[in-house]
């Protein structure tokens, strides 16, 4: 089982639609969660951090559910410019090293259509 | 300007050659990472370093080596032992906070390595 799993998509939605992505993680000791956005052939960039209480930034809302070990990203009123791949990131505990490292999911591709 | 710089942007390697990818940051971050990304795939962790002179293998370290002699620099060598090295390589850095928690990572623009 992968440490961080995402539905690869693609999600094809019309402009103005609301779309939600989920991401599950396997290590219950994980702390610090993020959503990144990656445009084609570019480096990932931080979209938002995810807090236990949930957080919102404009049209974007992130939620964390520790009991079920998943995080979610909700995008409202989708724009054409939202088309990208969205990566879920977990700061997981690597048991064999006793260290933490940022681990990325494989990403969910979103295509917003006019 | 503070940031993280990778070079070169494109790199071509003949089979059997070792190549070294450069990663430099002036953000004063303790932690640095190397990831590999294949087309249509997510990022897979190769190596990471939480402090100078210390680094750990990630999920796909075989065929790669790193060093962390300076806080600012974390070069990655792709050796001839790496059987399928053609990929997009991304270097990142982050602050290591309380309890070893890493803050969000900042990425370089990546190096596209092609074996010819």
């Amino acid at each position: 089982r992968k440490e961080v799993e995402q539905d690869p998509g693609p999600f094809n939605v019309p402009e103005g639609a609301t779309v939600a992505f989920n991401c599950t993680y396997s290590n219950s000791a994980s702390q610090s969660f993020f959503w990144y956005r990656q445009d084609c052939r570019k480096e990932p960039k931080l979209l938002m951090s995810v807090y236990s209480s949930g957080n919102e930034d404009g049209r974007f809302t992130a939620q964390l559910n520790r009991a079920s070990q998943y995080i979610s990203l909700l995008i409202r009123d989708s724009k054409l410019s939202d088309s990208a791949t969205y990566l879920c990131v977990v700061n997981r505990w690597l048991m064999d090293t006793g260290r933490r490292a940022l681990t990325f999911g494989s990403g969910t591709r979103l295509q917003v259509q006019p | 300007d503070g940031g993280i710089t990778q070079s070169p942007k494109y790199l071509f390697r003949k089979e059997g050659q070792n190549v070294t990818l450069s990663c430099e940051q002036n953000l004063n971050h303790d932690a640095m990472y190397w990831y590999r990304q294949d087309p249509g795939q997510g990022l897979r962790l190769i190596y990471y370093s939480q402090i100078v002179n210390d680094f750990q293998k990630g999920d796909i370290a075989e065929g790669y080596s790193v060093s962390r002699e300076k806080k600012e620099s974390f070069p990655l060598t792709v050796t001839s032992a790496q059987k399928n090295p053609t990929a997009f390589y991304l270097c990142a850095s982050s602050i290591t906070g309380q309890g070893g928690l890493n803050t969000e990572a900042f990425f370089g623009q990546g190096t596209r390595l092609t074996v010819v």
Side-chain angles (χ1 to χ4, degrees), chain A residues 36 38 91-92 99-100 102, chain B residues 35 37 50 54 102 105:
Chain A
Y36 276 72
Q38 187 176 26
N91 192 8
R92 70 180 169 106
R99 308 288 176 86
R100 295 182 185 274
L102 294 173
Chain B
Y35 294 92
Q37 188 174 37
Q50 296 283 27
D54 181 70
N102 299 305

Side-chain angles (χ1 to χ4, degrees), chain B residues 12-112:
Chain B
F12 296 88
R13 187 194 96 172
K14 291 183 180 178
E15 282 193 43
Q17 282 184 337
N18 292 355
V19 287
T20 297
L21 282 57
S22 170
C23 179
E24 303 277 332
Q25 54 98 1
N26 59 4
L27 299 167
N28 200 33
H29 287 172
D30 291 307
M32 296 187 75
Y33 311 82
W34 274 105
Y35 294 92
R36 168 184 172 139
Q37 188 174 37
D38 294 285
Q41 303 294 314
L43 280 67
R44 291 185 290 167
L45 182 65
I46 305 173
Y47 268 98
Y48 66 106
S49 168
Q50 296 283 27
I51 56 172
V52 175
N53 293 321
D54 181 70
F55 50 83
Q56 303 293 335
K57 292 181 179 180
D59 300 308
I60 55 164
E62 186 175 348
Y64 300 98
S65 66
V66 293
S67 63
R68 188 82 188 279
E69 297 175 2
K70 297 187 298 182
K71 189 175 186 178
E72 306 80 32
S73 179
F74 192 40
L76 174 74
T77 296
V78 184
T79 75
S80 56
Q82 169 49 236
K83 298 305 179 189
N84 186 21
T86 295
F88 186 39
Y89 290 86
L90 286 156
C91 179
S93 69
S94 70
I95 296 170
T96 300
Q98 190 175 14
L101 286 179
N102 299 305
T103 63
E104 64 268 25
F106 295 85
F107 283 85
Q109 291 187 312
T111 294
R112 293 195 181 276

